[in-house]
Structure formats: structure tokens, C-alpha cells
Amino acid sequence: MALTLPATFAFSQSSLQAYANCPRRFWLAYVEQLPWPSQETKPFDAYEEQMRLGSRFHQAVRRAETGFDPELLAATLDYPLDEWFAAYTRHRPDDLPTQFVASEQVLSIPFGNENGRYRLAARYDLIAAERANEPENEQARAVIIDWKTTSRPTRRARLQEQLQTVVYPFVLVEASESLPWGPIDPAQVEMRYWFTAAPDESVIFPYSADLHAANRTRLQGLLAEMLAGSVQADFPKVPDTEQSRQHLCAYCVYRSRCDRGIDAGDLADVDDADFFVVDLEESLEFTLDTVEALAF
Ligand code: SF4
């Protein structure tokens, strides 16, 4: 027997990260799709406020990237959004390709094995790309930007471990053939994390053919593991150590169910504000039928 997921289910960096962190969390959130029985962080109001501000910042940047006047946009924003947006207007990277600039674009690619045919989807804050064989431009080139509004920048080593750093460039390269800028060499792709808390210190991850091959192996391995399971017992809880209780279970909505403590972790102690915090609604967005419309 193999894992049964809705035919329209698309994997994302969130679902893969949930599995990598704790297979049981993947089972509960994505297979059983259980509602949230407990708060992820305390104070909850501060967490909600942080999520709301992050969403409003992304909305303002999306508008600016699609041609709205930044000065008019800035006039509509209160603290701290006004400061974040000012940081964006002052420190938006000035070396990005300009031929194709896409905000909030969703790409998806085929992702499956003999146990199931699914898709792997990614929603990009910004893709800036240029086509090959244009004057002064020998090869297609693409830069992926992810805007982060966490209270402090995420450490490079931590970002490197995250499946977002694997999935985003991988999907972009695989999807590029069907996109306006055309087939792209992995070496011409770059992933950048930009932080409101350190707007002139983006963390940049160059991509390469070797990384692309390694990412393919890693993603296919994760997928094979996931699809080989069929019941909850095939998706074990993360080992019960002090470390995993403090850094994973304390921020997981399922900790009461798993008997891994009662108190939510403190938002102020989170190394990265989005550390292990999954917006379930957003994470499940790719299970919607509309994913078909996103397929290229
Ligand atoms: S509470 Fe801990 S063991 Fe349970 S799903 Fe969450 S991370 Fe996994």
C-alpha cells in the first residue's frame, strides 16, 4: 500500500520541510489535514500581528513591483511598515535583470514516482529574469528574491538547510523551458534572501549544475520516502529529545496531541520567526483544484 493524497495535491517547500523536520507533522498537517489544536507561539497576538505585517509588506512590495508609485504606496503605511518599505525602496537590489520581472508567481513541475504522480509547486516573491541571446546578454539569467520581515536576519547556515533554498531554484530551472526567458543553465540562477532587518545584507545562494543534480536526488529521495508510507505509524514523531522539544514541538500546533508539552514556545526566542511555523491555510493552498491552472 502507498500513501494516498488528493490527486490535485502539490508538494511545496512547506510540506517537504514539515516532513524533513518531523514526519508525523507532515502526516497530521497534510495527510489528515487536522485543524490546529494549540497555539504555535506565545504571545499569540504578537504572532498574529507579525504575520499580518508580513503579509501587508509583501502586498506593498508586490504593488511597487507591478508599477504602482512607491511614494503613493509609502504614504499609506504606518510604523513599522513605513520603515520596512523605505528600506525596500532604498535597498532593492540594483543589479537585477529587468527584462522579465514577476511578483508572486507560482510555478509547478511534475513530481512523482511509480507510487503517485504529483506536482511540486513554489510561490515566488519575485523572479527577475532575462532571455538568452539578447544584445549584451549571452545566456538566460534569473534571480529569485524572497522578502523576509523577521525581526532579525536568518543565519546563512540555517537558510542553506531549508528546503526553500532547494525547491525554489530547482523548480525554476525545471520550469524555465516553458517560461518567457526560456531554458536556463542552473549556473545562471541565484537565490537571494532579503531582510527588512538588514536590507543591505542579502544572503545570496548561487546555483549550479552540481547543486541541481544533488537537489534532484534529495527531492526524489524525500518523495520516495513519503510515498512509501501509508499509515500514521509510517510517519514517526521526531525523536523525543530536549532539543527537538525546545526547537520543534514547542512551536508545533500538534504538541498536545503528541504529548510533547503544553506551553507554546515564545516568539521572542524563535531564531527565525518562520521557524517551523506553518501557515496551514497557505501550505494547503496547493491542494486546491486551481493547481491545475498553475501547471505549465
Ligand atoms: S509536536 Fe513534535 S512530534 Fe508532534 S508533530 Fe509536532 S514536531 Fe512532530
Side-chain angles (χ1 to χ4, degrees):
M1 231 168 61
L3 186 63
T4 307
L5 291 164
T8 53
F9 184 87
F11 287 91
S12 66
Q13 57 102 5
S14 298
S15 54
L16 293 173
Q17 189 68 57
Y19 180 82
N21 286 339
C22 173
R24 179 64 52 85
R25 183 170 161 92
F26 171 81
W27 172 269
L28 296 173
Y30 296 93
V31 183
E32 292 204 9
Q33 301 191 6
L34 288 186
W36 303 27
S38 56
Q39 295 174 9
E40 286 188 281
T41 66
K42 66 180 180 194
F44 191 58
D45 289 351
Y47 168 68
E48 285 207 314
E49 177 64 0
Q50 188 160 339
M51 299 297 282
R52 191 185 67 80
L53 288 170
S55 165
R56 285 198 58 206
F57 174 75
H58 279 77
Q59 187 183 57
V61 169
R62 183 172 66 246
R63 288 187 173 151
E65 291 290 342
T66 48
F68 282 75
D69 183 340
E71 280 189 25
L72 292 179
L73 284 168
T76 67
L77 302 172
D78 301 325
Y79 179 82
L81 286 163
D82 54 349
E83 291 195 353
W84 294 357
F85 192 72
Y88 156 76
T89 52
R90 273 201 304 274
H91 297 287
R92 181 188 187 275
D94 58 8
D95 60 343
L96 300 181
T98 54
Q99 197 177 15
F100 302 100
V101 179
S103 247
E104 303 279 342
Q105 179 154 13
V106 177
L107 302 177
S108 80
I109 58 169
F111 190 53
N113 63 16
E114 67 280 3
N115 286 333
R117 298 271 168 250
Y118 298 101
R119 297 192 75 83
L120 177 58
R123 181 188 297 278
Y124 298 84
D125 285 349
L126 191 80
I127 302 172
E130 59 199 4
R131 204 195 314 261
N133 302 321
E134 296 289 320
E136 303 172 17
N137 170 23
E138 289 177 6
Q139 298 197 53
R141 174 176 170 244
V143 179
I144 300 162
I145 305 262
D146 197 68
W147 314 111
K148 295 273 190 208
T149 58
T150 47
S151 56
R152 45 186 184 266
T154 310
R155 287 170 291 117
R156 182 184 179 84
R158 172 133 192 85
L159 289 169
Q160 189 148 23
E161 291 167 3
Q162 294 294 297
L163 275 150
Q164 182 175 11
T165 307
V166 171
V167 168
Y168 277 37
F170 184 80
V171 170
L172 182 84
V173 168
E174 294 289 308
S176 279
E177 195 164 331
S178 309
L179 294 170
W181 52 85
I184 197 162
D185 183 324
Q188 299 300 314
V189 173
E190 212 177 81
M191 171 94 201
R192 298 189 194 181
Y193 293 94
W194 183 100
F195 297 91
T196 50
D200 53 354
E201 293 171 26
S202 295
V203 179
I204 300 175
F205 291 97
Y207 205 47
S208 68
D210 285 351
L211 268 177
H212 194 61
N215 286 346
R216 186 188 303 283
T217 303
R218 183 172 174 195
L219 291 170
Q220 290 296 346
L222 272 176
L223 181 70
E225 264 181 55
M226 285 187 281
L227 295 184
S230 58
V231 294
Q232 178 171 289
D234 296 330
F235 294 81
K237 298 176 195 172
V238 67
D240 191 5
T241 64
E242 197 50 38
Q243 167 88 358
S244 56
R245 281 200 178 219
Q246 266 183 26
H247 294 283
L248 298 176
C249 304
Y251 298 96
C252 177
V253 288
Y254 302 118
R255 68 186 166 278
S256 316
R257 183 187 177 93
C258 292
D259 199 16
R260 290 288 175 90
I262 295 165
D263 291 336
D266 198 318
L267 191 60
D269 296 336
V270 183
D271 184 22
D272 317 310
D274 55 353
F275 176 62
F276 211 52
V277 173
V278 167
D279 179 336
L280 198 57
E281 280 177 31
E282 188 162 308
S283 303
L284 293 174
E285 68 186 338
F286 297 135
T287 65
L288 302 177
D289 290 344
T290 50
V291 78
E292 292 303 320
L294 310 172
F296 65 89

